[in-house]
Amino acid sequence: MNYPNGKKGTIAKYARNKQSATPNQAFSNRGMTLEEDINETNRYYLETNKAIIHKKPTPVQIVKVNYPKRSAAVITEAYFKQASTTDYNGLYRNKYIDFEAKETKNKTLFPLANIHEHQLTHMHSIIDHGGICFLLIRFTFYQETYLLPAEKLFKHWDDKLKGGRKSIPYEQICLEGYKIPFQYQARIDYLAIIDKLYF
Amino acid sequence: MNYPNGKKGTIAKYARNKQSATPNQAFSNRGMTLEEDINETNRYYLETNKAIIHKKPTPVQIVKVNYPKRSAAVITEAYFKQASTTDYNGLYRNKYIDFEAKETKNKTLFPLANIHEHQLTHMHSIIDHGGICFLLIRFTFYQETYLLPAEKLFKHWDDKLKGGRKSIPYEQICLEGYKIPFQYQARIDYLAIIDKLYF
């Protein structure tokens, strides 16, 4: 596997999930967004009756709606609202699952500004009440996706609040997170990692 | 408690939850929709750290968005989409909670047409995977709200598929469901019933 920034040596040693370097580049997935990959994966989970996990609809403040005769209602004025929770939740093996997904073009770090404070509060609550909570982070430049357990994220967030750095270095995510290999069917099979971590 | 349709005698004998006849009519809640009551209740659960349950945003298909300079993006064309799941889900005492809420003005029955087939499929999956799933039904005429466990709903749905009736009689909901008393803080404290049924 080649890392375009020439860091091959240092990064490879952090890459836990070696089998992710699949020989079939058809799985390399360029062009699909993380959201599309997750939606595909969740659809596969649903079809195979493995898990029931959905993306929540985008929160929208609806202001004006027209009701034309004999056709569907049209929303003609609406605004995006900030989400107060994470984007995805559901049920897997009797457990409540909750996660947020973020892509970054950054090559060296994941900016914590990508996560809102109320989302972090929400994630803390999920853990407190016995749910499974994590972050899926994609570094688009490397086309790598990592699962970072919420507990690891909290540590970095707390560091930030204490005046520490406002981001998580890429190398740290390689170390503390779990790389999700691209696959043909469950494109990013994050539940395989959840199986290992929580069951 | 007076039942405006004069059925007092017959209905009272089905009413399981006698303490719902609160002497304080300030709790009788007229004018609030079921959705508003549930949102208030969920807010109370969240503030008191009892449970994390949210309403999912209304699913909207966004077609056109304007990005005016120096102000928020405006959605100028969008359409309502049919929900593929239930409206509410979350986490309570380590358990995944999932429910749908419906109001009816009907005095004698709850029409099953209020529930979509894919919602029913979703509810079956939730039960299969170890979640807690139910329906909150409000009869607005009586200002009564019932929790009906999904398993009871399935029975009536199956009857309908076999050519049986397309609705659940009000009396049957009184018998098979659990009446939720109006309260001041957790306005409709449905988790009190979940405590008794599942823990």
Side-chain angles (χ1 to χ4, degrees), chain A residues 1 3 15-23 144 179-182:
Chain A
M1 193 174 243
Y3 292 90
R16 288 197 183 170
N17 209 334
K18 294 289 163 47
Q19 70 269 38
S20 67
T22 163
E144 291 176 348
K179 194 168 172 182
I180 305 172
F182 283 122

Side-chain angles (χ1 to χ4, degrees), chain A residues 46 49-52 54 56-60 62 65 67 72-80 84-85 89-97 122 125-132, chain B residues 46 49-52 54 56-60 62 65 67 72-80 84-85 89-97 122 125-132:
Chain A
L46 205 60
N49 200 28
K50 186 179 172 77
I52 309 145
H54 289 275
K56 291 179 200 164
T58 306
V60 157
I62 297 165
V65 184
Y67 298 93
V74 191
I75 300 161
T76 56
E77 186 183 347
Y79 299 89
F80 294 102
S84 58
T85 64
N89 77 356
L91 176 59
Y92 176 55
R93 294 176 69 175
N94 303 335
K95 290 270 197 186
Y96 175 90
I97 300 277
H122 172 76
S125 298
I126 296 305
I127 299 292
D128 289 349
H129 286 260
I132 292 174
Chain B
L46 205 61
N49 200 28
K50 185 178 173 76
I52 309 145
H54 289 276
K56 292 178 200 166
T58 307
V60 158
I62 297 164
V65 184
Y67 297 92
V74 191
I75 299 161
T76 55
E77 186 185 348
Y79 299 89
F80 294 103
S84 57
T85 65
N89 76 356
L91 176 59
Y92 176 55
R93 294 177 70 176
N94 303 336
K95 289 272 196 185
Y96 175 90
I97 300 277
H122 172 76
S125 298
I126 296 304
I127 299 292
D128 289 349
H129 287 261
I132 292 172

